[in-house]
Amino acid sequence: MFLSNALRSSYSKGCTTASAHIKRSYMTSTNARQSRWVMPASMLASAGLGAAYVMYGHHPMYGTSRAYAEGNSNNAPAAFSPEEFREFTLVDVMPINHNTSRFRFKLPDDSVSGLHVASCIFTRHRYKKPDGSEGSIMRPYTPTSDEGERGYVDFVIKDYPQGKMSRHIHLLKPGDKLEIKGPIPKYNWDQGKKEHVGMIAGGTGITPMLQLLRKIFGPSSKDNNTKVTLIFGNQTEEDIILKKELDSYAKSFPDRFKVVYAVDKPTKNWDGHHGYVTAELIKKHLPNPDQSNSIIFVCGPDAMLASLAGPKAPDKSQGKLDGILKEMGYPQDHVYKF
């Protein structure tokens, strides 16, 4: 599909070209208003973690890297540093589907990542340019292991053929090292808890949402009130990752968690949502704009954010709310762009 290919290629270009194209196609169609109100599920599935550089930014619940690193809930030493890149050894790779794997990196004994919910890290790969000078690639990723796990940290990463960092990581073998720096704080859930949470995610863009879901529904959680609905878009059923865990939350907390799967290219037996994520789908499942004590989290590439919630500011802070959610009447402080 053209849109998903455009977004996939935009991975290494900051989504600039794809964003411009999608904005033009949505705004110059015969019915511009109607076209702004739809989002192909394949666009969501192309989000991936390569676009995660938009995950952090200023917000009332935005913290500082040092506070996150030092605010370790179990007092275990933090392996990552927000001030420098450190090397960590890959110890295990577990394929999840045809193009996504879980990568486990060893942490010093008895240490934890030092990340709190919600935050991410930066990875760096240094290489020699043809002229002999040193170049580097940096990309942010969100761990999928629990923040309190000792001795290791996990990342679920999709292999994008044109993604320089994702390609590099997928070529790593156990024993190889990767440079990591963090945490990069995003939304501070402990300070900004809400009773009603809506989530829109796609592909491996599910990872920051998973951080929050584990915080809310995990075995150590004392939260008995928060209700969450997740709209999770993918190109195909095979692309849906971490489905078993998501379904387990839905089964264990039927009155508090619901997941709506949207697939762009379903099989004939698919019984979930088919195709676009529309305003009607959002209205049916997520907290409404007037819902008190609520928030909508959105994760994806620039193009997706621009269509759903407006682009982030040039400095990657939240920027003004725009797009579908603004047209539906959501206020600025009820939407957070990962």
Side-chain angles (χ1 to χ4, degrees):
M1 176 175 286
F2 176 77
L3 287 177
S4 58
N5 287 340
L7 283 172
R8 189 174 290 112
S9 66
S10 70
Y11 166 74
S12 60
K13 302 177 182 177
C15 300
T16 303
T17 303
S19 297
H21 172 80
I22 292 170
K23 185 175 182 180
R24 286 196 300 271
S25 64
Y26 274 19
M27 295 303 294
T28 58
S29 62
T30 304
N31 188 340
R33 180 174 179 82
Q34 181 180 4
S35 61
R36 284 280 300 277
W37 284 62
V38 296
M39 172 66 67
S42 59
M43 285 180 60
L44 296 173
S46 301
L49 296 174
Y53 62 87
V54 300
M55 286 183 173
Y56 56 93
H58 296 94
H59 186 272
M61 291 300 109
Y62 178 78
T64 65
S65 297
R66 182 177 294 278
Y68 269 54
E70 294 178 351
N72 197 323
S73 61
N74 57 10
N75 296 318
F80 299 150
S81 167
E83 299 174 351
E84 65 177 1
F85 280 96
R86 296 175 178 176
E87 285 191 334
F88 295 89
T89 302
L90 179 67
V91 294
D92 184 62
V93 180
M94 183 183 75
I96 292 178
N97 64 16
H98 61 104
N99 61 8
T100 304
S101 295
R102 185 219 67 193
F103 296 83
R104 175 165 293 181
F105 291 86
K106 186 180 187 308
L107 303 180
D109 292 341
D110 212 34
S111 68
V112 296
S113 66
L115 275 69
H116 279 202
V117 178
S119 59
C120 67
I121 54 87
F122 268 100
T123 59
R124 183 174 69 178
H125 169 50
R126 291 183 286 181
Y127 63 95
K128 287 290 184 182
K129 295 181 179 179
D131 62 4
S133 62
E134 184 178 271
S136 64
I137 303 166
M138 291 190 293
R139 293 289 186 273
Y141 291 93
T142 303
T144 55
S145 50
D146 188 89
E147 63 183 274
E149 292 289 352
R150 301 191 182 209
Y152 70 89
V153 63
D154 291 342
F155 299 93
V156 172
I157 299 175
K158 184 174 181 177
D159 185 8
Y160 291 89
Q162 304 303 318
K164 294 180 180 179
M165 182 58 81
S166 69
R167 274 274 72 210
H168 170 69
I169 293 176
H170 272 262
L171 290 173
L172 293 178
K173 295 178 174 58
D176 292 338
K177 298 180 182 297
L178 183 69
E179 292 185 304
I180 298 176
K181 177 181 181 178
I184 308 299
K186 297 179 288 182
Y187 187 93
N188 191 325
W189 178 255
D190 288 332
Q191 295 180 16
K193 293 180 181 179
K194 302 294 181 181
E195 290 183 3
H196 303 276
V197 176
M199 298 176 170
I200 306 175
T204 45
I206 190 64
T207 54
M209 309 302 186
L210 188 64
Q211 263 193 342
L212 287 162
L213 291 173
R214 288 176 173 171
K215 182 75 171 180
I216 296 168
F217 299 112
S220 61
S221 175
K222 298 179 181 179
D223 188 334
N224 296 314
N225 299 313
T226 301
K227 295 182 179 180
V228 182
T229 301
L230 164 67
I231 297 176
F232 187 17
N234 286 274
Q235 294 184 57
T236 69
E237 296 160 57
E238 187 181 15
D239 292 321
I240 301 174
I241 61 172
L242 304 168
K243 188 175 186 295
K244 183 177 180 180
E245 181 171 354
L246 295 173
D247 289 344
S248 72
Y249 290 140
K251 183 177 180 179
S252 299
F253 304 94
D255 298 327
R256 296 178 53 211
F257 178 67
K258 179 179 181 180
V259 56
V260 179
Y261 297 106
V263 172
D264 193 30
K265 302 173 184 177
T267 62
K268 63 180 181 179
N269 296 322
W270 175 249
D271 59 359
H273 183 74
H274 176 190
Y276 292 9
V277 174
T278 63
E280 288 71 24
L281 189 67
I282 294 171
K283 182 178 180 180
K284 180 178 180 180
H285 296 289
L286 301 191
N288 64 60
D290 300 322
Q291 184 82 51
S292 61
N293 202 10
S294 67
I295 193 166
I296 305 294
F297 291 113
V298 184
C299 181
D302 283 356
M304 172 187 165
L305 289 174
S307 180
L308 286 173
K312 285 195 142 189
D315 65 355
K316 302 307 176 186
S317 60
Q318 287 292 294
K320 293 182 179 180
L321 178 65
D322 202 353
I324 292 173
L325 294 175
K326 181 179 180 180
E327 292 185 9
M328 293 181 68
Y330 287 91
Q332 176 91 32
D333 62 356
H334 280 215
V335 177
Y336 184 87
K337 310 168 194 177
F338 276 113

